């Protein structure tokens, strides 16, 4: 049976190889920082469940220190000449998109129609988090397809992915860390504290004010956390469920959907959403790291304002 642990081992082995390659890259003046950073991430993927929680927490602190003190850098990579890359792109054409398109197709196939497939009476995929298992397998198949399409080797794929990781730097880990923040906040009672604060500062009998607080709160917490999924449990537990749904009878499904849209507006405005805003700037080698955010302000702010009005008229039908 293929379980999520297999995917963790696969990712851990890949990152360990990236760390080793980074250590051997003498053209990178910060190669030891790169090797230590990705080596520690690989260790958490390979053995975190067998390490004491305090040790894992210490590793996260070390990773934060390495990133905060600028210990990561870029080295030399075999990218080929511009003419070679242009010729390869023209030769392959739209076939270049095939590996990328395989990822969602295979991930959905594993998560939905193949989720409960059995061979000789045993499940093919683990029953827990099958979607993540499918995503991991999809990335593996897509990498194989890319190698066959471009007539490259797996070693070349790892080398090019190392180039991308070094270009992104520590920000590549930010979505993973921020994804845990919402559950941590919810477990520590942040939602209940927000509900108490809202009751103190705004009139809870006013529906529009509560809708405004929920929508703006979703956007603001998303900007802080960098992830709307992390902000959702906090704001919904604090304002959405107790004040809008239970007190004023708002439709929970509509409120949740439009609340997430408010969070997505916040995603467009924050560097904390590294995978959406910092990563594209790094990959495109833009001089202004916040260029993507600046381009999105004109969309995010009007969309958030319209969503507040839309939420008010829809959730109280």
């Amino acid at each position: 049976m293929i379980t999520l642990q297999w995917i963790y081992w696969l990712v851990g082995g890949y990152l360990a190889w990236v760390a080793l390659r980074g250590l051997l890259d003498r053209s990178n003046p910060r190669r030891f920082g790169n090797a230590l950073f990705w080596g520690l991430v690989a260790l958490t993927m390979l053995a975190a469940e067998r390490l004491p929680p305090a040790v894992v927490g210490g590793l996260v602190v070390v990773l934060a220190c390495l990133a905060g003190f600028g210990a990561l850098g870029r080295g030399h990579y075999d990218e080929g000449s511009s003419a070679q890359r242009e010729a390869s792109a023209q030769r392959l054409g739209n076939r270049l998109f095939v590996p990328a398109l395989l990822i969602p197709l295979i991930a959905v196939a594993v998560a939905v129609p193949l989720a409960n497939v059995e061979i000789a009476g045993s499940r093919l995929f683990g029953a827990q988090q099958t979607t993540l298992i499918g995503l991991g397998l999809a990335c593996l198949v897509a990498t194989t397809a890319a190698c066959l399409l471009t007539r490259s080797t797996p070693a070349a794929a790892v080398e090019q992915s190392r180039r991308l990781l070094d270009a992104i730097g520590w920000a590549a880990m930010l979505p993973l860390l921020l994804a845990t923040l919402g559950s941590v906040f919810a477990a520590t009672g942040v939602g209940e504290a927000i509900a108490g604060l809202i009751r103190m500062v705004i009139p809870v009998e006013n529906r529009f004010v509560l809708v405004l607080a929920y929508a703006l709160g979703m956007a603001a917490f998303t900007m802080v956390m960098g992830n709307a999924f992390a902000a959702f449990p906090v704001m919904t537990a604090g304002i959405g469920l107790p004040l809008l749904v239970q007190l004023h009878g708002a439709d929970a499904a509509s409120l949740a959907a439009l609340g997430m849209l408010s969070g997505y507006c916040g995603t467009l405005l924050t560097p904390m959403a590294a995978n959406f805003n910092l990563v594209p700037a790094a990959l495109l080698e833009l001089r202004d790291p916040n260029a993507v955010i600046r381009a999105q302000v004109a969309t995010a702010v009007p969309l958030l304002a319209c969503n507040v009005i839309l939420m008010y008229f829809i959730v109280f039908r």
Side-chain angles (χ1 to χ4, degrees), residues 8-263:
Y8 284 139
W9 288 338
L10 178 64
V11 174
Y14 158 73
L15 291 174
W17 180 251
V18 167
L20 178 60
R21 291 290 300 158
L23 180 64
L24 299 176
D25 186 358
R26 296 183 179 276
S27 64
N28 184 355
R30 299 174 180 173
R31 61 193 179 104
F32 294 108
N34 280 38
L36 181 58
F37 186 90
W38 296 115
L40 291 178
V41 177
L43 177 61
T44 61
M45 292 291 178
L46 292 170
E49 76 281 359
R50 292 186 290 275
L51 296 174
V55 173
V56 178
L59 294 179
V60 173
V61 172
V62 173
L63 292 175
C65 291
L66 290 172
F69 288 104
L72 280 69
R74 300 186 63 179
H76 172 75
Y77 318 93
D78 184 14
E79 302 180 56
S81 65
S82 298
Q84 290 174 327
R85 295 197 299 270
E86 180 68 23
S88 179
Q90 291 181 355
R91 176 176 61 85
L92 296 172
N94 290 332
R95 288 182 294 166
L96 283 170
F97 294 102
V98 171
L101 294 175
L102 284 175
I103 295 177
L105 291 176
I106 295 175
V108 171
V110 173
V112 183
L114 303 179
N116 298 314
V117 168
E118 295 184 357
I119 297 179
S122 299
R123 291 181 60 94
L124 179 59
F125 304 109
Q128 303 296 321
Q129 298 179 315
T130 309
T131 302
L132 293 180
I133 297 173
L135 179 60
L137 294 176
C139 291
L140 186 61
V141 172
T143 301
T144 303
C147 290
L148 294 174
L149 183 65
T150 59
R151 301 170 188 171
S152 299
T153 64
V158 173
E159 184 68 8
Q160 292 308 309
S161 67
R162 182 173 74 91
R163 175 179 63 84
L164 294 178
L165 276 180
D166 287 352
I168 300 169
W170 59 267
M173 290 300 301
L174 197 55
L176 176 62
L177 296 175
L178 292 174
T180 66
L181 197 56
S183 58
V184 171
F185 277 13
T188 54
V190 174
E192 289 78 3
I194 291 176
L197 182 63
I198 292 297
R199 286 189 171 95
M200 292 174 56
V201 299
I202 66 174
V204 296
E205 67 277 0
N206 190 315
R207 291 180 174 182
F208 181 77
V209 173
L210 287 178
V211 167
L212 183 64
Y214 180 64
L216 296 182
M218 274 294 301
F221 264 76
T222 299
M223 293 176 68
V224 172
M225 299 180 179
N227 192 312
F229 290 98
F232 182 76
V234 176
M235 296 307 302
T236 303
I239 302 176
L241 288 177
L243 301 180
L244 286 170
V245 175
Q246 296 176 359
L247 182 62
H248 289 286
D251 179 69
S254 301
L255 183 69
L258 295 175
M260 286 298 292
L261 179 57
S262 299

Side-chain angles (χ1 to χ4, degrees), residues 74 164 166-169 277-286 288-289 292:
R74 300 186 63 179
L164 294 178
D166 287 352
I168 300 169
N277 301 328
L278 293 186
V279 170
L283 294 180
L284 295 174
E285 298 182 350
L286 302 179
D288 181 4
V292 175

